[in-house]
Amino acid sequence: MDLDDVWRTIDAQRLSLADLLDDLSPAEWETPSLCDAWRVRDVAAHLTLAQMGPWPLTVAAIRAGGSFNRIIRDTALRVGPLPDDEYGRRIRAMVGSRRRAPFISPIEPLTDVLVHGQDIALPLGRERPIPPVPAAVSARRAWAMSFPFGVRKRLAGLQLRATDSDLVLGEGAPVEGTTGDLLLLITGRTATVHRLSGEGRQRLPAADGRREESRRTT
């Protein structure tokens, strides 16, 4: 994917996610997401902050004592609660813009909307397919980063092989699945581990539908 393709995918994913949010019932907004201690509402609030500027980010970092997890948590919680229809409106308002938070590449907002979209959809039993080509781009980026996922250490001795793209990461016992499910595994989610296969599958954590706070995306 070139840069234009990345941003087109981000826009499409934001629009479809906003449509999903518009369709949620009051109970669904309060459902626990795949992010530990975050409701669906909190994940949606976090996604509205994808274009946070340097000054608000600096203030948030000072308040959080420099803790990455606290910055992510506190900024999201400070947004809301908003009226239910406001989350989708704010996410749609970002479509067509290439603004992003400081110090990150365009791949981070792509990963954010792909993965957090699943953090919302999976606990609700909502269908939200992950396109394999963008998922492979995000997976390679997350694999290459030592922070915040620590994936090469966490999945050492395993080779991830996608069944719907050319994605192959790592060396060792094979773990096979869709690119989307491998992206979730790479970013610390275990909710779809049961859909993976291969010799290395037995070395993965059991599916518990949660993920560690320290592995949240941006």
Side-chain angles (χ1 to χ4, degrees):
M1 297 179 72
D2 63 23
L3 187 58
D4 288 338
D5 289 333
V6 168
W7 282 109
R8 278 192 289 267
T9 302
I10 292 170
D11 285 346
Q13 289 292 311
R14 284 174 174 168
L15 285 171
S16 67
L17 181 59
D19 289 344
L20 186 154
L21 295 177
D22 286 348
D23 191 48
L24 298 187
S25 69
E28 286 177 313
W29 279 108
E30 306 306 317
T31 299
S33 75
L34 295 189
C35 292
D36 187 37
W38 279 26
R39 302 165 298 170
V40 164
R41 183 182 302 279
D42 302 321
V43 179
H46 169 67
L47 285 166
T48 69
L49 299 171
Q51 297 179 338
M52 179 183 289
W55 175 242
L57 182 61
T58 300
V59 172
I62 293 170
R63 286 173 171 168
S67 167
F68 177 77
N69 290 331
R70 283 193 59 192
I71 292 170
I72 299 300
R73 176 183 181 276
D74 292 353
T75 53
L77 295 181
R78 202 168 282 119
V79 168
L82 297 170
D84 293 351
D85 59 358
E86 181 66 10
Y87 298 95
R89 189 198 69 78
R90 292 192 183 191
I91 290 171
R92 283 193 187 88
M94 292 187 283
V95 172
S97 170
R98 295 193 176 191
R99 286 182 56 202
R100 59 185 188 274
F103 315 120
I104 64 171
S105 79
I107 307 304
E108 274 66 65
L110 173 65
T111 304
D112 222 23
V113 72
L114 290 176
V115 174
H116 282 316
Q118 298 303 306
D119 290 336
I120 290 171
L122 284 172
L124 299 178
R126 298 284 190 126
E127 287 292 327
R128 184 170 174 77
I130 304 179
V133 173
V137 172
S138 290
R140 291 188 178 100
R141 172 69 173 171
W143 184 270
M145 299 169 66
S146 58
F147 178 83
F149 305 114
V151 61
R152 284 171 292 172
K153 180 178 180 180
R154 181 164 46 88
L155 300 180
L158 299 175
Q159 184 177 76
L160 309 186
R161 302 176 183 172
T163 56
D164 58 352
S165 75
D166 62 357
L167 181 71
V168 178
L169 296 170
E171 296 182 357
V175 175
E176 298 181 345
T178 67
T179 314
D181 285 342
L182 293 179
L183 174 61
L184 294 181
L185 176 66
I186 287 168
T187 55
R189 279 75 178 167
T190 60
T192 60
V193 163
H194 64 283
R195 300 201 296 228
L196 303 176
S197 61
E199 179 186 338
R201 165 65 181 83
Q202 61 187 356
R203 296 172 52 183
L204 299 176
D208 61 5
R210 289 290 174 269
R211 62 182 298 269
E212 295 180 21
E213 183 178 9
S214 61
R215 295 178 190 149
R216 286 201 178 104
T217 62
T218 57

